[in-house]
Amino acid sequence: MESVVATEGFAKTPEPPYYAVIFTSQRTEVDNNGYDAMAQAMLALALERPGCLGAESTRNGDGLGITVAYFVDEGSIRAWQQNARHLVAQRLGKERWYSHYELRVAKVERAYSGPEGR
Amino acid sequence: MESVVATEGFAKTPEPPYYAVIFTSQRTEVDNNGYDAMAQAMLALALERPGCLGAESTRNGDGLGITVAYFVDEGSIRAWQQNARHLVAQRLGKERWYSHYELRVAKVERAYSGPEGR
């Protein structure tokens, strides 16, 4: 597989330290079109934030998803969490789209890529 | 949705601080049966480690997966990374199963669950 393909979907993050927001969520079965449109819009909006380093996101056929967004510091995360359009999305997420979620903010201390030597 | 269903697939982690190992990976298209068997075995083995708090794992139809495993401390992570059966799995992952991966070790500082009030 060519490297241009292999790294699609991965965030190109700098050397640690930086921050990760780990969002694990279970989708309800309602409003897939509305959800998909909002999820794409929010990902694009997050990536435009000056402190956002990138994001990785995936969801399986049972609706269990994990999105990890990377930020330079805590202040950038708090600003994103208070963004007006993001607040609207968060409210709809709580009301309609997620049956459960866990949100964790973590400081990345070390990181590795692979596989080496292929 | 009943809470017993809603929390399936989520790790029941304690109050922070604790550690997260974020493993984002792109599967090759080879050896699905071997991979699935090893992935299940490694998840079960990780969860048996005394310092492991739980794990969350998902992969989409394009083969992009994110697994986050939670540990009480750095020492527990290093012990798991050096586990003999895990080392075999890591080697096969590099040789056969992953076209690319990113591994990040992070200290979880704050955490939230939701949606509240549904």
Side-chain angles (χ1 to χ4, degrees), chain A residues 52-74:
Chain A
C52 186
L53 297 166
E56 295 163 345
S57 188
T58 189
R59 188 176 300 281
N60 70 16
D62 295 328
L64 183 69
I66 301 177
T67 295
V68 190
Y70 301 99
F71 292 86
V72 294
D73 55 23
E74 277 267 29

Side-chain angles (χ1 to χ4, degrees), chain B:
Chain B
M1 192 177 285
E2 292 177 45
S3 64
V4 63
V5 173
T7 55
E8 194 181 337
F10 293 89
K12 291 178 181 63
T13 44
E15 287 295 305
Y18 52 87
Y19 278 81
V21 178
I22 307 165
F23 182 68
T24 305
S25 63
Q26 177 63 52
R27 278 278 287 121
T28 58
E29 291 177 357
V30 301
D31 190 24
N32 284 325
N33 291 343
Y35 175 77
D36 289 346
M38 182 66 94
Q40 285 187 26
M42 283 304 112
L43 184 60
L45 190 63
L47 294 174
E48 289 173 7
R49 300 302 93 188
C52 185
L53 297 166
E56 295 163 346
S57 188
T58 189
R59 188 175 301 280
N60 70 16
D62 295 327
L64 182 69
I66 301 177
T67 295
V68 190
Y70 302 99
F71 291 86
V72 294
D73 55 24
E74 277 266 29
S76 304
I77 295 170
R78 292 183 192 277
W80 168 235
Q81 290 179 327
Q82 296 303 318
N83 174 278
R85 280 184 283 176
H86 191 198
L87 286 171
V88 173
Q90 289 173 48
R91 183 170 54 76
L92 287 167
K94 290 179 183 182
E95 289 176 1
R96 311 198 58 181
W97 291 324
Y98 300 123
S99 58
H100 189 76
Y101 64 79
E102 300 283 341
L103 179 76
R104 298 174 176 97
V105 177
K107 185 178 186 179
V108 179
E109 298 182 345
R110 50 194 176 97
Y112 313 89
S113 293
E116 299 85 357
R118 292 184 89 227

